[in-house]
Structures are given as structure tokens and as C-alpha cells.
Amino acid sequence: MTNYDVSYLYKSMDKNPVWELFKNLRDVLKKDELGVEIAKIAIPAAMALAADPIASLIDTAFIGHIGPVELAAVGVAIAVFNQASKIAIFPLVSVTTSFVAEEDATRSFEGDPEEIETLESGFAGNSEKEELIPKVESANSFSVSPSQGKLDEGRQNCRHNSAASSALIIGGLLGIVQAVFLIFAAKPLLNYMGVKPDSPMLNPAIKYLTVRSLGAPAVLLSLAMQGVFRGFKDTKTPLYATMMGDIVNIILDPIFIFVFGFGVTGAAIAHVISQYLISLILMGKLMGQVDLLPPRMKDLQFGRFLKNGFLLLLRVIAATFCVTLAASLAARHGSTSMAAFQVCLQVWLATSLLADGLAVSGQAILASAFAKNEYDRATLTASRVLQLGLLLGLGLSLVVLVILGYASGLFTTDKEVLSLLSLGIPFVVATQPINSLAFVFDGINYGASDFTYSAYSMILVAAVSTVLLLLLSSSFGFVGIWVALSIFMSLRALAGFWRIGTRTGPWSYLQG
């Protein structure tokens, strides 16, 4: 984008920041330097993020042909596992991407004292950012060459990155804790989700959740490594690993479910094997790029991860609580309602998570831009990814309409479930643009290290949405649940608009 475009955008945003972010939509697909960089990061990231939900959709399709009870049981078990995983790893992945990108940006300088002094002075007076960025010392103090990232021992193409080392240690420990917790607490957790001791869903749900929990260490470790690769703006490697794992999952599903006759347990076994394969592939690739042992143990950034990770933990708990509550309320209406909700939710997440590719791209570029005080680039990046998010959301609405409107029979042949699906389809279709904007705003906030606002705004949104879920579910049943979820995503997007529109936090530079 030219200097004229930058100047025009700044002048326009002085009038109305939110509105001006979406002007000149005709240039949204412009193949300039920024557009190409966004695409190189976003497309592989989106494909990788969509691969796992798509594999889950295939799981759902296979299990749906066992029976509606098994489909509903697995839906509840997946909801429990996903909530535990998100609570444990999502904060880690998000802060890892920002921290790795920021640390990598500071070490990209060629040892120019003036550039380093400018970088450090930019953090002065900004206590939150100062804590997030490791203090930049002279180029000679680095254990790696700033330009090549070579180790002192002469190992080529490797570099130290204390944020990456910290993330892997925390991810591995969290994975073990999650596995132990889910295995021993499976029954009470499922009871809380509405699967009572006399429910026919209980036994298949316990079997699936217990076996799938064995893969938790691999899941959390692989997601932590994906956060590291995103920080390096490399989303192709996670895509390759994820696709290989999911292909194995798809191949093993019918073998374990039908050939060996393991049923829902077979689906869980196939998923666990695929997750360990993904983790092994990523570890092998990462060890070729990063020296995972930091020069000094005190270089590990556990304090930074814990402080900002805790803020995002609050945010994730609030967000996943709403979705999990919705699944619980659907389960309380019976296995038919839960089966229909599971199909709608899997499609809803699989498609709208494509926008997370843009969020990852925006986060990585913004983190680097803010670390270098490149505010022009930060503004243009936020504008472009939001425009692309809106365009993507509109396209996804058409895709979802085709998938759920004309291919529902792929997931189940039960007439009652199909009848409820027809009621949920309009909500899943209509919320795609809103979901895309909400997810992209998440990436923008994380890239700007605006973790505090992200946490507290989500808590407020979740509090309102929880009340609406309880009220609307009791009054309108299945339809009420989807009305409340639609409001939930709308409020999330509104919170993102509010931050930029008020020119506060990291966006305060727009005031001048």
C-alpha cells in the first residue's frame, strides 16, 4: 500500500475508526506486499485449523451410522474434551504466537545500535508491552547471530527462542495433567453435562472420553508447537503435520469402528493415534529450526506466560463455558436434541474456524509491527484482515447452506434429528460473517498484546450470554439455544469494534 493510502486511512480513521476500517472493500483482494504476506500465513493456517474439525465431522458421520444414542454420547464427550483442551492450551498457544513473534522480531535487527535504541525507547511508558517483550541488549550479548540465528556450536538454521522452550515445557505438563483429570473425572463431568446415570448415553460417552483422554499430552504439545511455528510466520509445517495425522485418522476410523467392531471406542483410538503422529512430525521439524534448550534456565519465561496466560485462561473459560452450557442444555432436552445440536455445532465450528487463519496471520504480523513500533503497518494490517474476514464470512454462509441444507443425510438418517436440524440451519448460516469478524478481532487483540481487555470483555459477554441461554432454552428449547449463541457471537464482535472505535489501549496512537 502506498504512502497516500496510509495517509488517507489515518485521516479517515480520525473521523470514524470502525467505519473506515471497511472502506475501499474493492481493494480487499489486492495483491500488494501486505496482501501476499497475509495470504502466505492465513491460507495454510486456515487449512490446518479446519482439518481437525473436518476430521471430527467425518468421525461424526461414521458414528452417526452406529445410532443416534452413540452420536449424542460422543457429542457430549467431545464437548467435555474440547473445553478441557481449550482451557489448558488456548491461552498458551495465543501468548506463544505473540511472544515468539516479538522475540524473533527483536532478534531480526542486524545489530544496529540506533534501531535497537529506537525499539527500546518505544516500550518506555508502556508497562504492559515492556513486560511482554524481553529486554533487547546489544547484538553481541545474543547467543545467536542476529542475521542467521546460528548456534555457537555451528549448528545451521537453528536459533534460541526462550518463548518456544517455555511453551513446550508448559504444554507437555498441562497435557499430562489434563489426561489424568479427564480419565478419573469422566463420569461426574458427564453427569454435569446432563448425562445422568440412567441415560443410555452414559456408557458410550465414558468409553469415548476415557480413551480419547490418553491423547491429551500429544494434543497439547502439538498445539504448543503450532503456536511456535505461527510466531515464526510458518503455517505450512503445522498444515503438513495436521493433514498427515487427519488422513491417518480417517483411514483408521472405519477399520476400528466397523471392521474390528470397537464402535465409539474405535473412533477414539483412531483419533489418539493421529494426534501422536502430528506431535512427532512437529517435534522433528521444530528441532531442526530451534535449539529447544535455552542458553540459561533463567531465560525461560514462565512468569510472562503465567501472567498473560492467566488472563486468557479467564477469557477461554468464559467463552467455552457458554458453548459447553449450550451443549449441556441440548443434552437435557434428550438424545435427539443433542444429536442435532452436535451436527450443527461441528459444522458451525469447522467453517467459522477458517477465519482463525486470518486471525493467526493478523496476530503474527501485528505482534512484529508493534514490537518494532511500525504503527502504520499495524493499522493497515488490522484493516485488511477485518475486510477479508467479512468477505470470508459471507462466502461461508453459502457453503454452510449447501452442506446443511442439502447434505444433512450424510450425518444421520434419523427423521427426528433431521427435523431439528432444519430449525438450526438458518442460525448457523446467518452467523458466519459475525463469527468471522469475532475470530479476526481475537487475533488483532492478541497481536497487540491486549490480553487484559480480551479477558474482561469476554467475561462480560459470557455473563450476559449465559443468562440468555438459560432463559431462551427453557422457553424455546432447541431454537432458543441457537438464538442465544447467535447473540453471544454478536457481542464478541461488538467488543472488538468498541476497542478500536474508542481509540483506547494499544490503539491510543490513533488519537494523534
Side-chain angles (χ1 to χ4, degrees):
M1 190 171 282
T2 65
N3 291 333
Y4 171 79
D5 293 327
V6 174
S7 175
Y8 173 78
L9 183 58
Y10 264 120
K11 290 179 180 179
S12 299
M13 292 187 73
D14 285 340
K15 301 175 183 178
N16 190 322
V18 173
W19 170 252
E20 296 302 329
L21 285 172
F22 292 95
K23 292 197 69 173
N24 297 323
L25 277 170
R26 64 181 180 276
D27 296 329
V28 65
L29 298 177
K30 188 176 181 180
K31 295 181 180 179
D32 54 10
E33 179 184 354
L34 178 59
V36 171
E37 184 176 12
I38 291 173
K40 285 184 177 179
I41 300 173
I43 293 176
M47 294 174 67
L49 288 164
D52 191 58
I54 289 174
S56 294
L57 278 175
I58 295 174
D59 275 350
T60 301
F62 281 125
I63 296 169
H65 287 282
I66 300 176
V69 172
E70 287 78 6
L71 177 61
V74 170
V76 178
I78 289 176
V80 172
F81 185 89
N82 286 346
Q83 183 183 16
S85 296
K86 288 181 179 179
I87 289 175
I89 198 63
F90 186 83
L92 177 59
V93 173
S94 298
V95 297
T96 295
T97 299
S98 292
F99 291 172
V100 169
E102 289 164 353
E103 187 172 341
D104 207 42
T106 61
R107 297 195 177 198
S108 68
F109 289 103
E110 300 292 337
D112 187 337
E114 292 183 1
E115 286 182 313
I116 295 175
E117 182 179 354
T118 300
L119 179 65
E120 287 185 317
S121 64
F123 300 141
N126 189 337
S127 59
E128 181 178 3
K129 189 61 101 173
E130 201 169 40
E131 292 179 6
L132 292 175
I133 309 293
K135 183 174 177 58
V136 180
E137 303 172 4
S138 65
N140 293 332
S141 69
F142 293 145
S143 59
V144 294
S145 164
S147 60
Q148 296 292 333
K150 298 176 183 177
L151 294 180
D152 295 335
E153 296 82 18
R155 231 174 115 200
Q156 298 289 328
N157 300 321
C158 283
R159 54 196 185 260
H160 289 299
N161 191 293
S162 57
S165 303
S166 305
L168 296 191
I169 294 173
I170 296 173
L173 292 175
L174 287 176
I176 295 173
V177 172
Q178 180 183 327
V180 173
F181 172 74
L182 289 179
I183 290 173
F184 287 98
K187 188 171 183 179
L189 287 173
L190 291 170
N191 288 340
Y192 171 77
M193 289 291 293
V195 182
K196 300 303 180 183
D198 58 345
S199 172
M201 294 187 287
L202 183 60
N203 285 334
I206 288 179
K207 290 179 181 178
Y208 186 89
L209 181 58
T210 301
V211 174
R212 184 160 175 175
S213 297
L214 296 175
V219 172
L220 271 68
L221 188 58
S222 66
L223 288 175
M225 288 187 283
Q226 288 186 41
V228 174
F229 280 109
R230 291 175 189 175
F232 292 144
K233 299 181 181 179
D234 175 11
T235 52
K236 292 182 179 179
T237 299
L239 171 61
Y240 167 76
T242 302
M243 289 186 66
M244 291 299 295
D246 286 342
I247 289 173
V248 169
N249 185 22
I250 293 170
I251 293 174
L252 294 180
D253 258 340
I255 296 176
F256 284 121
I257 294 174
F258 301 114
V259 177
F260 292 163
F262 292 162
V264 296
T265 302
I269 293 173
H271 199 90
V272 168
I273 293 174
S274 71
Q275 291 302 319
Y276 276 99
L277 176 61
I278 292 172
S279 184
L280 288 173
I281 293 173
L282 289 174
M283 182 63 74
K285 295 288 187 180
L286 188 59
M287 289 177 66
Q289 299 184 31
V290 180
D291 180 21
L292 298 180
L293 293 177
R296 299 166 299 180
M297 292 304 295
K298 68 178 183 180
D299 290 336
L300 293 173
Q301 304 170 31
F302 294 137
R304 292 172 62 216
F305 272 88
L306 291 176
K307 176 183 176 182
N308 296 283
F310 177 74
L311 289 171
L312 288 189
L313 175 62
L314 295 177
R315 185 186 189 283
V316 172
I317 290 175
T320 56
F321 177 79
C322 286
V323 177
T324 306
L325 175 62
S328 176
L329 292 172
R332 293 174 191 276
H333 287 289
S335 60
T336 300
S337 175
M338 184 60 210
F341 180 84
Q342 168 67 2
V343 173
C344 285
L345 184 66
Q346 288 299 318
V347 174
W348 196 57
L349 293 177
T351 54
S352 59
L353 276 176
L354 287 170
D356 255 356
L358 285 173
V360 169
S361 179
Q363 179 182 1
I365 298 173
L366 279 168
S368 179
F370 274 106
K372 298 177 181 179
N373 296 324
E374 296 176 348
Y375 295 124
D376 289 351
R377 186 170 181 78
T379 304
L380 294 175
T381 300
S383 176
R384 183 68 66 86
V385 294
L386 283 171
Q387 291 177 11
L388 289 169
L390 178 61
L391 183 65
L392 175 64
L394 294 173
L396 288 175
S397 292
L398 297 177
V399 172
V400 172
L401 181 61
V402 172
I403 292 175
L404 285 179
Y406 300 98
S408 299
L410 293 176
F411 301 102
T412 181
T413 56
D414 187 277
K415 292 183 179 179
E416 293 184 0
V417 175
L418 289 172
S419 177
L420 277 182
L421 275 178
S422 66
L423 298 178
I425 290 173
F427 296 101
V428 180
V429 171
T431 54
Q432 291 304 309
I434 299 172
N435 294 354
S436 295
L437 289 175
F439 286 128
V440 170
F441 267 122
D442 289 345
I444 290 174
N445 288 333
Y446 302 155
S449 297
D450 201 7
F451 299 120
T452 301
Y453 178 79
S454 296
Y456 292 125
S457 62
M458 179 58 73
I459 291 172
L460 179 60
V461 167
V464 174
S465 302
T466 297
V467 174
L468 292 175
L469 272 168
L470 294 172
L471 292 176
L472 294 176
S473 172
S474 62
S475 300
F476 303 100
F478 182 81
V479 172
I481 294 173
W482 280 104
V483 170
L485 285 177
S486 301
I487 296 174
F488 167 63
M489 294 305 300
S490 299
L491 292 176
R492 284 182 61 175
L494 180 62
F497 283 119
W498 179 268
R499 188 58 155 176
I500 295 180
T502 55
R503 303 181 182 91
T504 53
W507 306 101
S508 59
Y509 69 86
L510 294 173
Q511 297 177 7

